[in-house]
């Protein structure tokens, strides 16, 4: 198991795009994603993200792609975006080989801290595919609650993945950040 004491965080630059795309794809799609518990291969085929999408987020006002590194190696990432008084958390990926070591909890906590410190966010929001019950439960254990809001899955838009089912939709979750130290 990796030690969280050697975990460092930084904002991504355009030089990190290829590594971010590789990490995200490895965590969600293909054979490597099946090694971890965050895979979506039972729900979706195709890509999870691409270089153009990632590069478009880097340096855009109100957006940070947060990288977690151990000994200079990228082990996890997420996207944090300012949305009015809330932060939005997405594109969350942990190297499948290193999952279940606490890296995800550390990255989520850092994302919450960044949103509160940088933008004075009062809450953090995210969307999760409704059928990802184990992931929803993981977020609930970290203080997130379902809001009751749903959004349809973007069928017919392969840049979001190619659905293997016809009943996918997103549920929204939120957590107040009043207890998060900035």
């Amino acid at each position: 198991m990796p030690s969280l004491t050697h975990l460092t965080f930084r904002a991504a630059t355009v030089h990190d795009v290829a590594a971010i795309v590789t990490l995200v794809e490895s965590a969600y799609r293909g054979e490597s994603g099946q090694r971890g518990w965050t895979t979506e291969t039972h729900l979706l085929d195709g890509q999870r993200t691409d270089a153009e999408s990632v590069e478009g987020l880097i340096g855009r006002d109100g957006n940070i792609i947060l990288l977690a590194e151990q000994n200079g190696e990228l082990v996890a990432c997420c996207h944090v975006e300012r949305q009015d008084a809330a932060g939005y958390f997405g594109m969350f990926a942990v190297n499948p080989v290193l999952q279940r070591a606490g890296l995800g909890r550390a990255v989520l906590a850092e994302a919450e801290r960044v949103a509160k410190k940088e933008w004075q966010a009062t809450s953090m929001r995210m969307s999760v595919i409704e059928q990802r019950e184990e992931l929803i439960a993981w977020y609930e254990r970290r203080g997130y609650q379902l809001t009751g809001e749903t959004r349809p899955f973007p069928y017919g838009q392969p840049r979001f993945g190619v659905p293997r089912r016809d009943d996918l939709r997103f549920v929204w979750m939120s957590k107040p950040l009043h207890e998060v130290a900035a």
Side-chain angles (χ1 to χ4, degrees):
M1 287 292 164
S3 168
L4 294 181
T5 59
H6 296 97
L7 193 63
T8 58
F9 294 100
R10 69 176 177 87
T13 70
V14 293
H15 302 291
D16 299 307
V17 170
I20 293 166
V21 171
T22 298
L23 174 63
V24 171
E25 292 298 313
S26 76
Y28 288 93
R29 303 287 196 271
E31 288 183 36
S32 62
Q34 293 178 16
R35 285 183 253 162
W37 70 275
T38 61
T39 185
E40 294 175 341
T41 57
H42 61 294
L43 301 173
L44 298 162
D45 288 322
Q47 70 181 31
R48 174 66 164 78
T49 194
D50 59 33
E52 182 180 351
S53 298
V54 171
E55 190 170 339
L57 296 172
I58 294 174
R60 192 166 82 193
D61 189 44
N63 287 268
I64 296 170
I65 295 182
L66 185 64
L67 305 182
E69 298 176 323
Q70 287 184 322
N71 302 317
E73 180 184 345
L74 178 62
V75 294
C77 69
C78 69
H79 170 230
V80 185
E81 180 178 346
R82 180 179 58 220
Q83 293 184 346
D84 299 320
Y88 174 80
F89 179 78
M91 201 173 65
F92 183 29
V94 174
N95 180 323
V97 175
L98 302 175
Q99 290 179 11
R100 301 189 188 273
L103 292 170
R105 283 188 299 275
V107 172
L108 181 59
E110 180 66 6
E112 292 168 353
R113 188 195 68 75
V114 166
K116 186 170 182 177
K117 179 182 178 201
E118 297 296 321
W119 305 313
Q120 295 72 49
T122 58
S123 64
M124 185 73 89
R125 291 175 39 88
M126 68 181 69
S127 59
V128 181
I129 295 175
E130 181 176 43
Q131 288 76 7
R132 300 291 316 278
E133 294 172 4
E134 74 288 351
L135 186 56
I136 291 168
W138 187 86
Y139 286 122
E140 287 175 330
R141 290 190 299 273
R142 275 135 202 94
Y144 286 81
Q145 297 181 335
L146 291 166
T147 66
E149 179 183 0
T150 63
R151 296 247 172 95
F153 186 86
Y155 286 91
Q157 297 180 37
R159 79 176 268 268
F160 296 104
V162 179
R164 299 178 75 159
R165 309 170 48 152
D166 62 3
D167 63 343
L168 301 179
R169 71 176 182 168
F170 292 103
V171 293
W172 285 79
M173 302 184 81
S174 183
K175 174 184 177 178
L177 296 180
H178 54 77
E179 296 180 12
V180 173

